[in-house]
Amino acid sequence: MQGMKVDLAGKVAVVTGGTRGLGKALALALGRSGAKVAVFGRKQENVDAALEEFQAAGIESMGMTAKVGDTQQISEVFAAVRERLQGIDILVNNVGMNIFTPMVSEADEKLWTKTIETNLTGVFLCTKEAVKSMKERGGGKIVNVSSIAGQRATFGLGIYCVAKAGVDMLTKVLAKELAASNIQVNAVAPSVIRTDFSKPMWSNENTLKQILQTRPRPQAERKRA
């Protein structure tokens, strides 16, 4: 229902990539609904800036640097969240990367590995850690930020498309596996949002034109075109 306020008082939410852009907006929304918020980012200056904004909004928060594809780092930061905030109820797997790539069949193996690690393996690793606490607390919510690129092949984003398609299937698998533990797993698939993350797409006139051509349009607008 539009305008309905969600009360998350007493809940603890983790948002990966929550120091800027869409992730920070999600973390702020969760915090303003009463949740304690933990965010991870790659750069300390982004973590510090985000925490200042959360604190100014009266949100109890913590932030750390971590690489989501690194098993050891993820284990350590989630352990720190459990120790300081006494558990985890909500996980938003938001972090990602979408470097323009050549044809997948011509792509560099290191770029393939980095893109899959960041967009897909990171979701797997963070979910594993969060679920430990959620099961102890009797349930939880996991939201994976996917993309329409996971449903539609796009030139220049081939590896990203493959990774996000993996996120979509991982979401379905986790939803089935974790239902009995009262943990709900869902995914959202945004299109292009004007953030630094998506700037390579919306700042390029030709690329943006191709993207806009794929969006649903009112009949009157289609006739004008």
Side-chain angles (χ1 to χ4, degrees):
M1 181 182 298
Q2 187 175 5
M4 182 175 66
K5 183 173 176 58
V6 177
D7 184 6
L8 298 178
K11 302 296 184 182
V12 177
V14 175
V15 182
T16 69
T19 62
R20 60 189 187 129
L22 177 62
K24 186 173 70 173
L26 293 170
L28 280 166
L30 289 164
R32 287 168 176 157
S33 294
K36 302 174 185 177
V37 176
V39 295
F40 306 153
R42 291 293 301 274
K43 297 180 180 180
Q44 186 63 52
E45 58 265 34
N46 290 339
V47 172
D48 294 340
L51 290 180
E52 285 185 13
E53 191 168 345
F54 298 153
Q55 290 162 8
I59 298 168
E60 183 174 349
S61 57
M62 63 181 291
M64 292 166 287
T65 58
K67 180 181 177 183
V68 294
D70 187 302
T71 304
Q72 184 63 33
Q73 289 185 32
I74 290 304
S75 177
E76 290 174 356
V77 295
F78 273 86
V81 173
R82 291 193 296 268
E83 179 179 355
R84 179 169 166 182
L85 300 181
Q86 287 78 56
I88 299 166
D89 303 288
I90 301 163
L91 170 64
V92 180
N93 283 307
N94 165 73
V95 74
M97 61 173 286
N98 63 348
I99 296 174
F100 276 111
T101 58
M103 293 176 63
V104 171
S105 58
E106 300 173 0
D108 180 78
E109 183 180 350
K110 291 182 179 179
L111 181 58
W112 169 275
T113 300
K114 182 177 181 180
T115 305
I116 297 296
E117 276 187 354
T118 303
N119 291 290
L120 179 56
T121 305
V123 176
F124 162 68
L125 294 176
C126 293
T127 297
K128 281 188 66 176
E129 291 296 326
V131 164
K132 296 175 185 178
S133 181
M134 290 178 181
K135 287 184 175 180
E136 292 174 354
R137 292 162 76 87
K141 312 288 185 184
I142 299 173
V143 179
N144 298 326
V145 178
S146 183
S147 169
I148 59 169
Q151 304 165 24
R152 181 187 302 133
T154 304
F155 279 112
L157 292 174
I159 304 175
Y160 180 75
C161 291
V162 172
K164 288 301 187 179
V167 170
D168 290 346
M169 180 51 70
L170 178 59
T171 300
K172 294 175 183 179
V173 170
L174 291 170
K176 186 173 288 290
E177 291 181 348
L178 297 174
S181 299
N182 192 32
I183 299 172
Q184 290 79 50
V185 187
N186 291 281
V188 293
S191 182
V192 178
I193 300 172
R194 286 182 180 266
T195 63
D196 287 341
F197 174 81
S198 63
K199 190 172 183 178
M201 289 180 282
W202 56 259
S203 64
N204 183 296
E205 185 176 343
N206 290 331
T207 302
L208 181 60
K209 183 177 180 180
Q210 292 178 31
I211 293 170
L212 291 176
Q213 287 175 343
T214 67
R215 67 182 175 87
R217 294 180 295 170
Q219 186 174 3
E221 186 178 335
R222 292 200 299 271
K223 288 180 179 179
R224 289 197 300 272

